[in-house]
Amino acid sequence: MTTTPDMPGLSLVRHPLVQHKLAILRNRDTPTKIFKELVDEIAMLMAYEATADLGLDPCDVETPLERTVGAKVSGKKLVLVPILRAGLGMVDGFLRLIPSARVGHVGLYRDHETLEPVDYYFKIPANAEERQFFILDPMLATGGSAVAAVSRLKASGATRIRFLCLVAAPEGVRRLRATHPDVEIFSAALDRELSASGYILPGLGDAGDRLFGTR
Ligand code: PRP
Ligand code: URA
């Protein structure tokens, strides 16, 4: 994982497997089935990185030979919060590593004219203040959706929030960090810029459409 001095709060997951899979994901000829599998696999590899500093508590274990001390992840259950729709593609990969995590949902879509997020659904587990949240969305473009999702979680009491995406634009990273400087961002790539119509360049296109075949 690497950090860049001019983008504080952004960690880039540079693992070769992630970069290899991301290149296939970007390819316009990659079909929906493969696209979905790759988002799932990259999310799992990113979950490994984004949870590397989780606290541990000691626990007793009886091996077949003797009693020893093991370790278990401490604290309340983690909560994954996919931003609908495209964030859904990252949930199962993450859950494969942390099957006991709870799953909340934030429904947001970008208005095509204004590029501002419109919210239509919100549901997270109770006792938000005691939990660690991971917001999942493949794309961080203008940052409007990410900012809205974090604001909504904070309004419900969440204080520990991380944002995981596959491709980020510099504009989105700056906006999210400027509005919510406490939220760490994990991404597989930091791309060049946003197009005039709000697409990430070079990007991978419309993540939701490619994931669900609605192009
Ligand atoms: C995409 C993407 C993000 C958002 C990013 O969703 O999955 O949620 O755009 O753009 P932003 O950073 O400029 O807000 P979209 O609005 O296309 O909805 P969808 O997932 O339902 O297709
Ligand atoms: N949302 C997407 O799905 N793709 C982009 O490039 C920007 C926003």
Side-chain angles (χ1 to χ4, degrees):
M1 206 150 53
T2 61
T3 51
T4 45
D6 54 331
M7 288 278 172
L10 171 68
S11 296
L12 291 174
V13 179
R14 295 292 200 195
H15 193 288
L17 293 178
V18 170
Q19 295 305 314
H20 177 94
K21 290 172 192 295
L22 181 63
I24 306 172
L25 199 65
R26 289 186 191 275
N27 188 329
R28 63 185 302 159
D29 295 327
T30 297
T32 296
K33 177 178 180 295
I34 306 293
F35 191 93
K36 202 180 303 173
E37 289 169 3
L38 288 167
V39 169
D40 176 82
E41 290 168 3
I42 297 173
M44 184 180 72
L45 294 167
M46 291 192 61
Y48 183 75
E49 300 275 10
T51 54
D53 61 349
L54 284 180
L56 291 174
D57 286 331
C59 65
D60 294 330
V61 186
E62 294 280 354
T63 78
L65 301 174
E66 62 179 34
R67 193 179 179 84
T68 187
V69 179
K72 61 177 184 182
V73 173
S74 55
K76 279 264 185 184
K77 286 203 171 62
L78 310 180
V79 185
L80 316 182
V81 183
I83 299 181
L84 308 179
R85 293 175 295 168
L88 288 174
M90 298 173 70
V91 173
D92 286 350
F94 210 115
L95 282 177
R96 218 171 295 128
L97 287 192
I98 309 174
S100 61
R102 306 289 172 88
V103 182
H105 294 88
V106 177
L108 290 171
Y109 69 87
R110 283 200 317 179
D111 181 282
H112 282 296
E113 306 268 297
T114 65
L115 298 182
E116 285 304 313
V118 180
D119 76 290
Y120 59 90
Y121 189 76
F122 183 80
K123 182 77 179 176
I124 61 167
N127 306 321
E129 59 286 345
E130 297 168 14
R131 299 178 184 276
Q132 166 74 58
F133 289 85
F134 293 87
I135 299 177
L136 310 178
D137 193 328
M139 311 305 279
L140 177 60
T142 66
S145 304
V147 165
V150 172
S151 299
R152 198 73 166 73
L153 285 181
K154 285 186 174 175
S156 300
T159 55
R160 291 184 294 154
I161 304 170
R162 290 183 166 180
F163 186 88
L164 268 72
C165 58
L166 306 189
V167 181
E171 294 89 335
V173 174
R174 284 194 209 99
R175 182 167 170 188
L176 179 53
R177 290 289 300 175
T179 319
H180 297 294
D182 55 309
V183 173
E184 282 182 61
I185 303 167
F186 294 80
S187 183
L190 177 64
D191 275 12
R192 193 179 68 246
E193 62 182 347
L194 285 183
S195 73
S197 52
Y199 277 89
I200 300 176
L201 297 173
L204 49 74
D206 187 308
D209 281 349
R210 294 197 64 188
L211 200 49
F212 295 108
T214 47
R215 204 162 8 155

